[in-house]
Amino acid sequence: MTSTATSYEFTDSDGPMDIRASTVLPAIRTNIELHTDDGLTLVGEFAEPIGRKPLATLVTMHPLPTAGGFMDSHVFRKASFRLPALADIAVLRFNTRGTCSPRGCSEGEFNGGAAEQADIEAAVAWAAERHPENIWLVGWSFGTELCLKYGATEPIASAIQGAVLLSPPLHRAGDEDLDAWATSGLPLKVLVPEHDDYLQPEAAAQRFRRVPQADVVGVDGAKHLWVGEKYAGRVLDEITDTVLPGTSQPLPTTWAGEAATAS
């Protein structure tokens, strides 16, 4: 089931305007429902470019819901606000089982990452039906655990091009999951904050040596939650450059045209 997402009041700018944390750029935004193999309905949103096919689709996995993570966690919200217009990248956000946001509540209960396998499979299947070309997983904190545990195995592995991990704690995902990624050959971009609470760059580089194709990037000054426009912008630049190789220029920080402000 789909429906029109929350609408924003767009107005024309008089000239180039700074893109701020709450700036919403034009996109087609659709409320979606995902249906898992174990019978649950999950709520989400799909944002895609207006009038053209996306060059890539991100399937995002949010941080730990028992610690406040949900589909509106700020990096993913900013991705949906900006990337369809700035980079022709579509963004699928959703609440894993038992998670609530202003969009609504997904059915079921948090299961620590085990039953959530069905959630990530449902999200990738939905994206593959919509735009099967160039799908990437993007996980943040707990979401990286889902990417690592399930992304390199079927039915997901053959549907995606790789994954971007933000602040991976490597609590639930272990060496066997890293070995599965190594075997798959699928690319991994791993962004690790200098001051992460759980896994910092040097330790991350050691752990991810099991995955020869993993590109581990330490981000100076950043913390686990990527607070601050400087760090959120860096994440979006890195994601764009990874899913659209050769896009080495930073995303624009100004916009001329219609825009809205989110509450």
Side-chain angles (χ1 to χ4, degrees):
M1 179 182 296
T2 62
S3 63
T4 302
T6 301
S7 60
Y8 297 98
E9 185 176 343
F10 284 87
T11 58
D12 267 321
S13 60
D14 294 331
M17 55 175 284
D18 290 337
I19 297 173
R20 303 184 183 277
S22 59
T23 301
V24 184
L25 303 182
I28 298 172
R29 296 183 168 87
T30 306
N31 285 334
I32 64 172
E33 291 182 349
L34 308 175
H35 301 284
T36 68
D37 284 344
D38 57 347
L40 300 182
T41 298
L42 314 178
V43 299
E45 182 204 82
F46 189 66
E48 57 188 318
I50 297 173
R52 54 198 183 275
K53 290 182 64 176
L55 300 178
T57 296
L58 310 181
V59 177
T60 63
M61 249 62 61
H62 59 68
L64 189 67
T66 54
F70 59 166
M71 62 178 276
D72 283 333
S73 293
H74 78 99
V75 172
F76 291 157
R77 193 169 185 240
K78 290 168 185 171
S80 73
F81 285 172
R82 302 178 194 179
L83 293 184
L86 296 181
D88 288 346
I89 294 173
V91 180
L92 190 161
R93 299 180 295 141
F94 72 101
N95 288 328
T96 56
R97 61 188 57 213
T99 303
C100 295
S101 73
R103 165 69 180 90
C105 294
S106 291
E107 294 178 348
E109 297 180 355
F110 174 69
N111 192 241
E116 282 83 358
Q117 177 177 0
D119 301 355
I120 185 174
E121 289 178 357
V124 171
W126 192 97
E129 288 184 2
R130 186 67 169 255
H131 297 296
E133 305 85 6
N134 204 22
I135 296 172
W136 287 75
L137 303 179
V138 183
W140 180 4
S141 193
F142 170 72
T144 69
E145 312 275 43
L146 301 184
C147 293
L148 287 171
K149 290 180 70 65
Y150 309 120
T153 59
E154 297 301 340
I156 294 176
S158 59
I160 66 170
Q161 298 300 309
V164 180
L165 309 181
L166 314 179
S167 309
L170 290 182
H171 286 167
R172 294 169 175 83
D175 288 345
E176 67 277 10
D177 302 307
L178 297 177
D179 291 344
W181 272 92
T183 299
S184 75
L186 290 167
L188 272 182
K189 171 64 73 70
V190 187
L191 301 181
V192 185
E194 178 186 11
H195 304 299
D196 195 274
D197 299 315
Y198 305 106
L199 188 71
Q200 295 183 355
E202 184 176 351
Q206 292 290 333
R207 293 290 303 275
F208 279 96
R209 281 184 178 177
R210 303 183 76 96
V211 187
Q213 71 272 26
D215 180 12
V216 180
V217 178
V219 181
D220 292 347
K223 297 182 179 180
H224 188 76
L225 297 180
W226 303 97
V227 173
E229 180 58 32
K230 173 182 177 181
Y231 300 112
R234 171 69 182 277
V235 167
L236 297 184
D237 285 343
E238 293 278 2
I239 290 172
T240 301
D241 193 45
T242 301
V243 307
L244 299 176
T247 310
S248 57
Q249 296 297 317
L251 293 166
T253 58
T254 62
W255 175 261
E258 288 192 339
T261 299
S263 57

